[in-house]
Amino acid sequence: MTPPTQTASPAPEVPPRAGAAAPAPAAPREQQAAAPRSGRALRIATRKSPLALAQARLVATRLGEFFGLPVELLPMSTTGDRQAQWSLEKQGGKGLFTTELEEALISGEADLAVHSAKDLPGRTSEKLIIAGYLPRADPRDVLVLRSGVAHPGSEASPRPAPSSPCQKNGALTLATGSPRRRGQLALLFPEASFCEIRGNVETRLEKVASGFAVPGGAPASATAPPSAPAAPATPSAADALHTAPPPAAAAATASAGGRIPVDATVLAAAGLARLGIRTWPGLEFRPLDFGEMVPAVGQGAIAVQTRIDEAARYAPILDPATARAVRVERAFQAALDSGCQTAFAAHAAGDSLYLFHEKTGRRRFPLAEADYHAPADTAKRLLSSLGLL
């Protein structure tokens, strides 16, 4: 498999647990002079999930090393975290994991907020700015299969993205709440069925390893009986653009205690790596290259957000190359005004732009230096050529 075109630099040492002040070595005099509100700890707003905390600690380490100040994490629960029963597709997931962090910045409770760049909505608060990004990690998606599950080959011709997050038919059941992933998986596995899955990375791995997805983010029991009834058949992913599951399917799921049989899911390679997860009992990991699965906008990048008048102070810890690529990707997102309801993806890698849209399938376009300097114009030109604007 072709390795990713952008990789992260080695991860720095992780500071102490969330909420604790992280001691840092003394910084040179010129760095201390640039430190924001010198003399007190820098405060980072972050979600409470293990992955969010791991990403915030990476930022905290860089800040502490550069400014010579302690750094404090402020873990918060966002709307998306609290509403574990919600379908992110139906609720419009963009912004559900960022609003509370932005409010902490605006109120002055925090100095920075750390986000997975792929969670950012196309437009953020006018009072705030994305100061930049840490060096991008592996941006690919990873197909996570229950060990021993047979799966079909890929199909080259585009097919429509399934319109419903829970469709039951075919030998392979894929668990994902992402229209982007579901639309592209339908091209790879046209006979597959789809169901919703929520929860943090470890929870999702537990669910797939057990063979059952449980709505609401709770892990499925590892001892779930293999004979638990599955939902009745509905049209396959390839034929389901305008088809919702019948009431009988929901009733069968409920009769099985809410458990949905599941064979596989898809997770971000960067998230697995940041959590130190290389293997998992009962599961097989298969990275998907850009020709199989176009990553989400910003996938693999950690975004650092702050107040507009303080952004320049943090530039020395951020990566210009990552910002350059993500600016192009976010220009496409903004032009389409797409959120979690749309099967869309854009990934800039060197001289190539990889694009997926539910109406066009996967496409690849050349990127010139001029395209990086005018991302909004680039997005408008290419999207117009596809009839999407």
Side-chain angles (χ1 to χ4, degrees):
M1 179 173 297
T2 303
T5 58
Q6 302 175 31
T7 58
S9 55
E13 184 179 351
V14 175
R17 60 177 175 80
R29 185 181 303 274
E30 62 273 15
Q31 293 180 8
Q32 291 179 359
R37 302 183 189 182
S38 183
R40 70 154 175 82
L42 291 168
R43 296 169 298 185
I44 298 177
T46 174
R47 292 172 60 197
K48 290 182 175 180
S49 74
L51 177 56
L53 291 171
Q55 294 179 157
R57 288 169 182 152
L58 292 174
V59 176
T61 297
R62 284 177 172 258
L63 288 169
E65 289 175 347
F66 184 81
F67 290 118
L69 292 173
V71 181
E72 199 170 274
L73 304 188
L74 302 177
M76 299 179 176
S77 291
T78 64
T79 302
D81 296 318
R82 293 190 297 270
Q83 302 297 337
Q85 300 288 344
W86 280 5
S87 163
L88 298 184
E89 179 181 359
K90 293 178 181 178
Q91 296 294 333
K94 291 291 183 182
L96 292 178
F97 297 105
T98 60
T99 300
E100 286 80 0
L101 308 187
E102 291 186 332
E103 290 173 351
L105 281 177
I106 293 170
S107 69
E109 182 181 358
D111 297 297
L112 305 103
V114 172
H115 309 279
S116 290
K118 69 184 183 69
D119 288 341
L120 291 171
R123 293 174 176 83
T124 57
S125 170
E126 294 180 354
K127 299 179 181 180
L128 305 173
I129 191 171
I130 303 300
Y133 308 86
L134 265 57
R136 194 172 212 164
D138 186 343
R140 293 177 299 175
D141 287 286
V142 176
L143 179 65
V144 179
L145 282 160
R146 197 155 41 83
S147 295
V149 171
H151 54 89
S154 63
E155 180 165 292
S157 59
R159 287 178 177 262
S163 60
S164 169
C166 194
Q167 298 159 354
K168 310 304 295 176
N169 191 37
L172 184 69
T173 302
L174 300 166
T176 176
S178 163
R180 171 188 71 87
R181 285 171 170 159
R182 194 167 68 243
Q184 296 185 80
L185 287 169
L187 303 181
L188 295 172
F189 311 116
E191 301 305 318
S193 302
F194 293 86
C195 68
E196 184 87 38
I197 191 169
R198 289 288 308 274
N200 61 37
V201 171
E202 293 93 335
T203 297
R204 296 185 190 205
L205 292 171
E206 289 173 6
K207 289 178 178 181
V208 178
S210 74
F212 290 90
V214 179
S221 169
T223 59
S227 59
T234 63
S236 71
D239 303 318
L241 182 59
H242 302 294
T243 306
T253 298
S255 69
R259 293 177 304 202
I260 303 171
V262 61
D263 300 308
T265 190
V266 175
L267 296 170
L272 291 168
R274 288 170 183 148
L275 290 170
I277 298 173
R278 295 178 177 82
T279 61
W280 194 272
L283 298 177
E284 299 173 7
F285 293 176
R286 180 199 154 194
L288 301 170
D289 64 33
F290 302 153
E292 296 174 298
M293 177 78 70
V294 180
V297 167
Q299 186 158 311
I302 298 173
V304 177
Q305 187 178 33
T306 189
R307 292 173 286 274
I308 292 174
D309 59 349
E310 297 179 9
R313 295 169 174 168
Y314 303 109
I317 73 160
L318 304 172
D319 182 53
T322 299
R324 179 175 181 263
V326 176
R327 272 196 299 268
V328 172
E329 297 163 17
R330 284 179 58 78
F332 282 80
Q333 180 184 26
L336 290 171
D337 195 23
S338 66
C340 281
Q341 303 97 326
T342 305
F344 160 76
H347 180 72
D351 60 0
S352 295
L353 176 82
Y354 298 86
L355 186 72
F356 172 80
H357 193 279
E358 57 194 15
K359 295 181 179 179
T360 64
R362 284 185 293 268
R363 300 295 183 92
R364 179 177 178 176
F365 296 94
L367 279 181
E369 189 64 27
D371 296 324
Y372 280 99
H373 290 299
D377 293 341
T378 300
K380 182 178 180 180
R381 172 174 55 83
L382 294 181
L383 293 173
S384 296
S385 74
L386 294 171
L388 297 176
L389 290 183

